Amino acid sequence: MSGMNRRDFIKWGAGGMALLATGLPLEGEPAPLEKGKSISRTTGRMRKSIPSVCMMCPASCGILGYLEYGKVINIGGNPLDPNSRGRLCAKGIAGLNHLYNPDRIPSPLRRAGKRGEGQWKQISWDEAFNEIALRLNALQAEKQHHNFILRNAWDLSSNDLAWRFASAFDSSTTFHHAVLESPNGAFAIHDVSGHSIGVGDVSHTRYILNFGANPYESHYLFVPFIQRLIDARINLGAKMVTFDVRISQTAGKSDEWFPIIPGTDGMVVLAMAYVIASEGLWDREFIERWTNTSPARLLRHLSAYTPKKAESVSGVRASDIKRIAAEFATAKPSVAIGGGGALKHINGTSNQKSILLLNAMVGSLDTKGGFIFPQGYLLDPPDPKPPKSQRMNPESQNLFVRVARGTQPVGVLMTHMDNAVYRGPNSKLISHVLEDESKIPFHVSIDPFLNESNLYADIVLPEAIYLERWDLLSPPPMEGIPYIALRQPIVKPMAHSLPFSEILIELAHRVGGGVERYFRFGKMEHYIEAMIRKIPKLVDAGGIDFLMDKGIWVNSELKPDRKRLKTPSGKYEFEPSLPTYLPIPHHQQLKEGEFHLITFQWNVHSYSQTANCKWLMEIVHRNPLWINEEAAKRMSLNNGDRVKVTSSLGSIVTPVFVTQGIHPRVVALSDSLGRWNYGRTPQGKPFQSQDPETNLLWWGKHGTGVHPNPIIPILQDPLGEGQGWMDTVVKAEKV
Amino acid sequence: MKKKRYAMVIDLRRCIGCHSCSVACKAENRVPPGVFRSWVKIIEKGRYPNITRHFLPTLCNQCEHPPCVINCPVQATWKQEDGIVIIDEHRCIGCKYCLASCPYNARYVNPLMPIVQKCYFCRHRVYAGLEPACVEVCPAKARIFGDLNNPEDEVTKLLSKHPFQTLKPEMGTYPQVYYIAADADAMDPFAGRKEWT
């Protein structure tokens, strides 16, 4: 605080305090505006702040938790975070609603009635640990280690610990949260580049060609990504062109929007690649030097994808495809990005590969303003490590299909912040599997809240939320310079909850039989310190103390490391099979009255995790079905009328939102809403709790939404194993 | 030292309609459910396939000529020299005359206590050298806060460089919240198709 120094401020604060308390503060002295601070409205005192890392979405933005009288009063962005640069989204602030949520599980629970009845008995941690250990010991005794399954389907920062526990136990199957919108994206990027993650370097680009991504509302690096995209649009005059089936905020703010038939993005991408190749607009040198294919082969392969053919498949005019392709190739640097609209299909993997190829054609892979592969630090957890018996799989519903068929035996199912019933397609199948004690004999769920899935659990362990625990992370650095972020407890865990890590560590010791060998590091803090010790520069800077003070450490001596590819050939590998467009078979003969059903996400919600945040639900609490005005007229539907939407799995009834902003053959229903067992807040009806504001919840009478997943069948991309979220065909009729 | 004249510029070329400001304000000022000091209006316009979306974050305009101040029967609300319109919650009798006279719907009655509240540019933060909560959090840097009397300030520079608009200029209130690239339909309470929420 320069200009107005601290002493002046305190003087003012002391004098002004009485006045402030009466609501009449003095007008302050001029002062330059500062970031990353918070002041009490009532006492005028600066609040104590503790840096940590957000977990409301996978972006992992740096946050500051502001404390007053031991309570977290507010959450702000950490200005030292090189990714988010001190900015934060609505979800990040609403993390407070998780922390002080009246529906947090008070203590370990044991099922008292039948599965799914919601009858619980509070038990002690000791009892809970012993029972779980007993069950796991039984698996060990019967040599059925493989029948222990761990699903850690949301919390990226605990992936390693979850893997460690499962591997130490010699389990066969673990699952982690799939980033990059869909496992399809990650699979394609890995296949082509050997990297695990890729993102458009939108801060330096002049042209953004967007296939189905919605960075204005949701992106796995939401705040870091969108602020750079906006900077490029305003400061560099970058043009943005969006292909999407509906007018998302992104599409609605793009320079051009092309509505497209769902699942045909790949065709348009390849047609653009063909235009670029046939008109000689490509970067031949880049293709020859950095890809394992050749311009001649490419041209031959792409000649099957003419703009004319693409027009007949996708509905995007050939002239537009040609024009956009030429613009994309000549605006340098330019980048093509893909999002849910292109990836959440059963042809999503090849769509992402085609998008990478399009970037390669104009030399935009791993270049400034192109498509980059930001790698964080590889954190090295303490030794000894369990043998690498298996890889972690992206979260997938195939597990439940296999269990239902009886091909996958399960002894103990452990789920952590997982809500397969709500998150998965074909919710009914999954809930049936979870309800069946013969299929899943023992199910333990670790979660701060009761939800649609752990309703069927035998034991529920109350978990400390992200503001109450330790983690060490290295998120994908948008600036290319890797950094380390520390998640530390801003407050002590509420009531009787424990962090996931502590639960696993304690359990490992109780289970024994060799599992405990890999958990001798003691506490999570020691585990983190061991990782920090392996980064000498960070140790020199002060190690854990530095991180506890600042929250973020950036190795400013590192320069972005480009052009080091991990693929066997050292080049981008598009061969042996060049990307193709794979038509989605059941989309080909849509009958009159049938629609494509697609799902989408809101800017204030992150799927299964945010419906119990009052500040977010207040903004978006209902999700009428988007339908094109023309189609609505044919069915004589007005805004708010109810329709029955039927797929092969069954039907749901929802009000409609009649709009011009969606393809006439498509209807769209968002996720994140329509909760049926996630506590009281999502219902939007007033209730008594220690928070006086819960008496004022008001949106219940406006409707709380409908969830599309019960009518979305399980369909997987055979390559990337991603779910075909956008591939459902439905009939809609007026009720 | 010249007097301050606080103002906010909302650059709608940057706004992404993410509601971070709405929620940051809720958290900062403990605004109870059902009422907002800051809200983002979202509209969609055009005919398929030529559709665009427009956002309009709204808050108290801290008018140069605030009708709410004129109409308060107990002098519980007034305009400070630095331009911020404030409410003395102890004087307020909750008569709602100011609510009725505000052309922008910026005021509300706190459902937990019978007093009127509204945005006051996070005065408690500004006087301590901080930005208003909505400005600090904005992921797209669409909200800029500053002093119009300072020629070096970003708000002054932005307003001298770009065409700008204010809400309902015909009311003669002279708002101190300025919009860059605002859509006419978004600014009109009756035009444009409303959102679903």
Side-chain angles (χ1 to χ4, degrees):
Chain A
M1 202 182 299
S2 55
M4 173 172 130
N5 64 42
R6 194 167 293 274
R7 188 169 302 159
D8 280 354
F9 169 69
I10 291 167
K11 241 183 348 202
W12 172 82
M17 217 147 73
L19 286 162
L20 265 170
T22 64
L24 282 172
L26 300 170
E27 286 183 39
E29 284 289 307
L33 299 173
E34 273 190 287
K35 311 257 185 211
K37 294 234 166 91
S38 175
I39 188 167
S40 164
R41 271 188 311 145
T42 46
T43 64
R45 268 196 288 254
M46 280 294 172
R47 289 173 176 145
K48 184 184 170 195
S49 71
I50 296 179
S52 191
V53 178
C54 188
M55 204 172 93
M56 297 297 280
C57 88
S60 306
C61 299
I63 55 169
L64 295 170
Y66 296 111
L67 291 161
E68 217 171 294
Y69 303 112
K71 267 194 105 176
V72 187
I73 293 293
N74 208 341
I75 297 174
N78 184 351
L80 298 174
D81 185 328
N83 262 10
S84 71
R85 302 190 281 209
R87 308 280 163 166
L88 207 54
C89 74
K91 291 167 279 189
I93 306 160
L96 277 178
N97 296 166
H98 270 178
L99 181 61
Y100 296 119
N101 196 298
D103 288 327
R104 280 187 69 173
I105 304 169
S107 82
L109 301 175
R110 189 211 301 269
R111 177 164 61 87
K114 283 203 190 100
R115 276 195 183 170
E117 279 185 349
Q119 305 285 325
W120 304 100
K121 187 174 162 263
Q122 299 199 355
I123 55 171
S124 70
W125 273 103
D126 202 45
E127 210 179 330
F129 277 135
N130 280 341
E131 179 157 354
I132 300 163
L134 212 67
R135 292 285 188 158
L136 289 173
N137 285 337
L139 287 189
Q140 284 172 324
E142 290 161 26
K143 300 258 177 273
Q144 290 179 340
H145 303 87
H146 284 359
N147 297 351
F148 169 63
I149 289 173
L150 177 56
R151 284 176 56 95
N152 173 49
W154 173 256
D155 175 8
L156 291 172
S157 45
S158 292
N159 270 347
D160 186 75
L161 216 60
W163 174 84
R164 176 179 282 251
F165 186 84
S167 302
F169 193 81
D170 200 16
S171 138
S172 65
T173 323
T174 48
F175 293 96
H176 64 79
H177 180 61
V179 287
L180 283 165
E181 306 278 343
S182 159
N184 290 343
F187 183 89
I189 286 172
H190 189 264
D191 216 29
V192 169
S193 71
H195 294 295
S196 55
I197 222 159
V199 65
D201 180 19
V202 283
S203 41
H204 303 111
T205 198
R206 286 181 170 277
Y207 202 97
I208 302 149
L209 190 49
N210 168 24
F211 294 94
N214 187 6
Y216 274 57
E217 292 185 85
S218 89
H219 187 272
Y220 74 98
L221 287 172
F222 181 44
V223 170
F225 189 78
I226 190 62
Q227 56 179 274
R228 288 170 170 82
L229 192 150
I230 297 286
D231 278 347
R233 290 195 72 184
I234 303 300
N235 301 337
L236 303 178
K239 178 170 178 177
M240 182 158 77
V241 177
T242 295
F243 291 80
D244 203 329
V245 298
R246 97 188 155 100
I247 194 94
S248 61
Q249 317 270 58
T250 311
K253 283 296 232 180
S254 294
D255 295 290
E256 293 189 56
W257 168 55
F258 295 101
I260 182 171
I261 293 173
T264 63
D265 298 71
M267 187 72 200
V268 176
V269 176
L270 292 173
M272 287 187 178
Y274 171 71
V275 173
I276 293 170
S278 61
E279 294 186 8
L281 298 168
W282 50 5
D283 189 336
R284 285 188 83 99
E285 210 178 302
F286 184 92
I287 296 166
E288 277 160 2
R289 167 69 187 87
W290 287 110
T291 72
N292 67 350
T293 184
S294 69
R297 261 191 62 85
L298 263 180
L299 188 58
R300 210 167 39 244
H301 171 76
L302 290 171
S303 57
Y305 302 98
T306 58
K308 217 165 175 186
K309 200 168 154 203
E311 174 173 334
S312 67
V313 171
S314 68
V316 181
R317 277 202 299 266
S319 55
D320 286 328
I321 293 176
K322 278 187 205 153
R323 177 174 56 86
I324 300 292
E327 283 179 15
F328 175 74
T330 45
K332 288 196 187 273
S334 56
V335 63
I337 58 173
L343 305 182
K344 288 179 176 177
H345 289 284
I346 53 174
N347 61 7
T349 310
S350 48
N351 290 348
Q352 175 71 61
K353 278 193 185 179
S354 307
I355 291 168
L356 290 172
L357 178 68
L358 192 59
N359 280 313
M361 305 273 299
V362 296
S364 275
L365 282 179
D366 216 357
T367 49
K368 197 172 171 186
F371 196 87
I372 53 169
F373 306 94
Q375 305 298 313
Y377 270 100
L378 282 177
L379 299 170
D380 186 12
D383 291 320
K385 297 185 191 75
K388 267 201 170 96
S389 57
Q390 46 138 340
R391 72 172 182 126
M392 268 186 113
N393 304 295
E395 156 196 16
S396 136
Q397 314 318 324
N398 265 1
L399 169 73
F400 297 101
V401 177
R402 290 200 303 270
V403 174
R405 286 200 195 118
T407 52
Q408 165 87 53
V410 179
V412 171
L413 173 68
M414 183 188 276
T415 54
H416 169 230
M417 290 189 86
D418 179 29
N419 190 349
V421 174
Y422 185 82
R423 287 177 65 87
N426 199 347
S427 313
K428 217 172 230 161
L429 171 100
I430 297 170
S431 58
H432 278 317
V433 169
L434 288 177
E435 202 174 356
D436 190 341
E437 284 184 56
S438 67
K439 294 209 164 81
I440 297 186
F442 189 69
H443 174 188
V444 48
S445 163
I446 302 165
D447 206 295
F449 303 100
L450 285 172
N451 61 35
E452 287 82 354
S453 300
N454 58 21
L455 180 65
Y456 303 104
D458 299 302
I459 287 201
V460 182
L461 302 178
E463 193 205 351
I465 75 156
Y466 69 98
L467 299 167
E468 303 165 330
R469 60 179 239 197
W470 294 94
D471 280 309
L472 195 68
L473 304 91
S474 187
M478 284 298 291
E479 301 294 328
I481 301 165
Y483 68 96
I484 303 266
L486 178 73
R487 183 176 290 140
Q488 62 180 321
I490 296 171
V491 278
K492 285 207 188 88
M494 284 267 276
H496 295 288
S497 55
L498 281 180
F500 180 56
S501 54
E502 304 297 326
I503 294 172
L504 287 186
I505 293 165
E506 178 64 28
L507 214 51
H509 286 98
R510 296 219 185 190
V511 170
V515 180
E516 80 288 359
R517 211 166 349 133
Y518 305 104
F519 287 84
R520 291 228 173 97
F521 50 81
K523 299 177 75 150
M524 190 59 185
E525 292 94 302
H526 304 142
Y527 181 85
I528 286 172
E529 282 220 59
M531 293 195 276
I532 290 175
R533 269 200 299 277
K534 291 175 185 157
I535 306 167
K537 284 268 157 55
L538 174 54
V539 175
D540 292 346
I544 186 95
D545 293 323
F546 181 91
L547 284 172
M548 283 173 70
D549 186 34
K550 307 278 185 203
I552 303 276
W553 175 75
V554 189
N555 186 353
S556 45
E557 286 166 32
L558 278 184
K559 289 277 162 290
D561 180 18
R562 297 246 156 92
K563 298 275 183 290
R564 271 240 311 269
L565 277 171
K566 290 186 196 152
T567 51
S569 60
K571 297 177 174 186
Y572 296 102
E573 297 193 336
F574 293 102
E575 299 279 10
S577 55
L578 285 166
T580 50
Y581 163 67
L582 308 163
I584 295 168
H586 63 280
H587 280 187
Q588 302 311 312
Q589 334 76 11
L590 233 56
K591 287 192 271 304
E592 191 57 36
E594 284 187 329
F595 294 93
H596 298 269
L597 171 70
I598 64 134
T599 66
F600 63 95
Q601 265 178 300
W602 299 100
N603 45 13
V604 295
H605 283 300
S606 52
Y607 221 114
S608 63
Q609 301 287 336
T610 48
N612 54 4
C613 298
K614 58 184 179 195
W615 289 333
L616 303 179
M617 277 304 267
E618 198 179 5
I619 294 170
V620 176
H621 42 260
R622 53 195 291 266
N623 60 341
L625 181 84
W626 288 39
I627 186 164
N628 185 286
E629 208 161 299
E630 187 194 311
K633 208 178 272 169
R634 271 206 311 276
M635 297 167 64
S636 52
L637 282 171
N638 289 318
N639 238 342
D641 285 353
R642 293 161 74 78
V643 287
K644 188 171 159 195
V645 186
T646 312
S647 80
S648 58
L649 284 184
S651 48
I652 50 176
V653 175
T654 165
V656 293
F657 167 62
V658 178
T659 169
Q660 293 280 343
I662 190 165
H663 195 286
R665 305 243 47 183
V666 181
V667 289
L669 192 62
S670 87
D671 51 45
S672 306
L673 301 165
R675 306 302 298 252
W676 60 94
N677 187 49
Y678 200 45
R680 294 166 285 181
T681 313
Q683 305 310 323
K685 297 199 184 86
F687 63 93
Q688 294 282 350
S689 75
Q690 74 267 31
D691 174 7
E693 292 192 356
T694 58
N695 253 330
L696 298 169
L697 303 190
W698 54 271
W699 57 86
K701 52 181 182 277
H702 298 257
T704 52
V706 179
H707 193 42
N709 289 11
I711 62 162
I712 296 179
I714 297 177
L715 266 182
Q716 282 200 326
D717 182 335
L719 283 174
E721 295 178 11
Q723 159 69 19
W725 287 107
M726 316 290 194
D727 294 332
T728 315
V729 173
V730 293
K731 267 203 285 285
E733 44 196 342
K734 192 173 174 179
V735 179
Chain B
M1 186 76 198
K2 223 173 159 189
K3 259 190 231 117
K4 295 271 182 187
R5 199 174 136 221
Y6 290 119
M8 190 180 291
V9 174
I10 302 182
D11 189 343
L12 295 172
R13 299 170 304 164
R14 289 182 157 270
C15 180
I16 58 168
C18 69
H19 276 293
S20 295
C21 43
S22 313
V23 177
C25 175
K26 284 247 155 181
E28 179 67 35
N29 297 302
R30 292 284 135 175
V31 182
V35 289
F36 287 88
R37 291 186 189 192
S38 180
W39 178 253
V40 185
K41 179 182 171 188
I42 300 171
I43 66 153
E44 169 192 307
K45 62 181 225 173
R47 295 206 72 77
Y48 184 87
N50 300 309
I51 314 281
T52 49
R53 282 199 156 206
H54 301 277
F55 315 126
L56 189 82
T58 55
L59 66 163
C60 172
N61 280 292
Q62 320 291 348
C63 308
E64 213 43 43
H65 297 304
C68 53
V69 166
I70 299 164
N71 285 339
C72 178
V74 293
Q75 285 94 48
T77 182
W78 64 89
K79 191 170 178 68
Q80 296 186 149
E81 282 200 336
D82 59 13
I84 302 179
V85 176
I86 61 163
I87 299 170
D88 180 350
E89 297 183 347
H90 294 263
R91 289 188 76 105
C92 175
I93 55 170
C95 71
K96 305 183 199 167
Y97 277 25
C98 55
L99 260 80
S101 47
C102 173
Y104 308 105
N105 250 336
R107 293 175 167 239
Y108 63 86
V109 179
N110 188 318
L112 292 172
M113 44 187 162
I115 48 163
V116 173
Q117 295 178 323
K118 69 168 191 75
C119 159
Y120 52 85
F121 276 169
C122 279
R123 186 176 61 150
H124 58 287
R125 289 175 59 87
V126 172
Y127 295 166
L130 311 176
E131 288 177 322
C134 57
V135 175
E136 184 179 272
V137 81
C138 179
K141 286 179 260 173
R143 286 184 182 231
I144 302 105
F145 177 80
D147 173 16
L148 281 182
N149 279 347
N150 179 359
E152 293 304 309
D153 204 296
E154 207 187 336
V155 287
T156 323
K157 285 184 185 162
L158 275 170
L159 292 184
S160 57
K161 233 188 283 174
H162 299 283
F164 60 82
Q165 302 89 20
T166 54
L167 289 180
K168 296 187 187 169
E170 68 278 9
M171 300 300 291
T173 52
Y174 296 92
Q176 293 308 301
V177 174
Y178 298 89
Y179 295 93
I180 292 175
D183 180 76
D185 281 353
M187 293 166 74
D188 183 337
F190 303 108
R193 281 189 298 279
K194 270 285 288 198
E195 263 291 317
W196 44 88
T197 42

